[in-house]
Amino acid sequence: DLFEFLRNGALNARNAFAATHDSLKRNQYGGTVGGPIVTNKLFFFGAYQGMKVVASPTPKFANIPTPAMVAGDWTTFASPACQGGRQVNLRTPFVNNRIDPTSFSPVALNLLKRLPAPADPCGQVAFGIKSRANEDVVIGKVDYQLSQKHSLFGRYLLAHAVAPPHYDPSNLLTTGDDSIGPYTTYSVVNDWQTQSFALGDTYLIGANIVSSFRATLLRPTNFRGHPPKEVAPEELGIKGIYQ
């Protein structure tokens, strides 16, 4: 038995209120196989399912200083166009909504170099984090019929899911998190793995008595990789901080 389930934005109609097609790419596929190893005695069964998901999330927004603000001119930022229809003036000692650029923190200016350019004069910037997830599930089972009264089985399952990091070195804003399906992905790799092994013994003692024994071993692991090198304090000009 083989199967595949596919979702792709290229195959979908555009939502009536959306500017573009959705970007979701989801592919689930796999199959099963089974049969006798020894006729009427020993049987096997195996199955596999894989899933790959790629999606560009809804854009996120942030406000950062504009080149004019960095140059000391906060006139546009303080205007009604950027302040919800009202005029805002910088308080004393600042005059005419201007700030001497030499008073800005060098650390803050160095941090700005690692942020994208604002999309509008008010300082708003749009960005997104592409979400990805890969999953593999494998199961194998063997049944052994010792006699008409006695049967055994063994089953092994391995489930492995990986959410790779989505950090963009040119944009520190991407160090946040985003969710896709059952996953929560961060700027570090997340690697989940679960192994399960089961043994079973069934014996018919009499017409009204059955002995059923089950033993299971479960081993889940969750590995979070080292975060990518974002920016060290000394690179921004911060002294006396050690990591």
Side-chain angles (χ1 to χ4, degrees), residues 178-193:
D178 188 45
S179 297
I180 176 170
Y183 306 99
T184 301
T185 56
Y186 303 86
S187 57
V188 298
V189 62
N190 283 272
D191 190 326
W192 299 273
Q193 180 171 286

Side-chain angles (χ1 to χ4, degrees), residues 168-205:
D168 180 359
S170 65
N171 183 4
L172 285 180
L173 297 174
T174 59
T175 57
D177 63 89
D178 188 45
S179 297
I180 176 170
Y183 306 99
T184 301
T185 56
Y186 303 86
S187 57
V188 298
V189 62
N190 283 272
D191 190 326
W192 299 273
Q193 180 171 286
T194 298
Q195 299 181 77
S196 172
F197 182 71
L199 287 174
D201 180 288
T202 302
Y203 184 77
L204 181 62
I205 299 175

Side-chain angles (χ1 to χ4, degrees), residues 199-218:
L199 287 174
D201 180 288
T202 302
Y203 184 77
L204 181 62
I205 299 175
N208 299 317
I209 302 177
V210 177
S211 170
S212 179
F213 171 80
R214 301 290 184 268
T216 302
L217 176 65
L218 179 66

Side-chain angles (χ1 to χ4, degrees), residues 2-67:
L2 298 175
F3 69 90
E4 181 168 10
F5 172 71
L6 175 69
R7 289 183 61 188
N8 192 304
L11 305 176
N12 298 339
R14 179 178 57 83
N15 188 290
F17 302 100
T20 61
H21 289 74
D22 71 83
S23 61
L24 177 65
K25 295 180 177 65
R26 181 188 183 102
N27 190 14
Q28 287 179 266
Y29 50 91
T32 63
V33 61
I37 300 174
V38 178
T39 304
N40 297 329
K41 280 289 186 181
L42 190 61
F43 307 87
F44 79 95
F45 173 82
Y48 168 77
Q49 175 178 290
M51 181 181 72
K52 297 184 182 300
V53 181
V54 179
S56 296
T58 302
K60 301 177 183 293
F61 298 93
N63 289 88
I64 62 176
T66 65

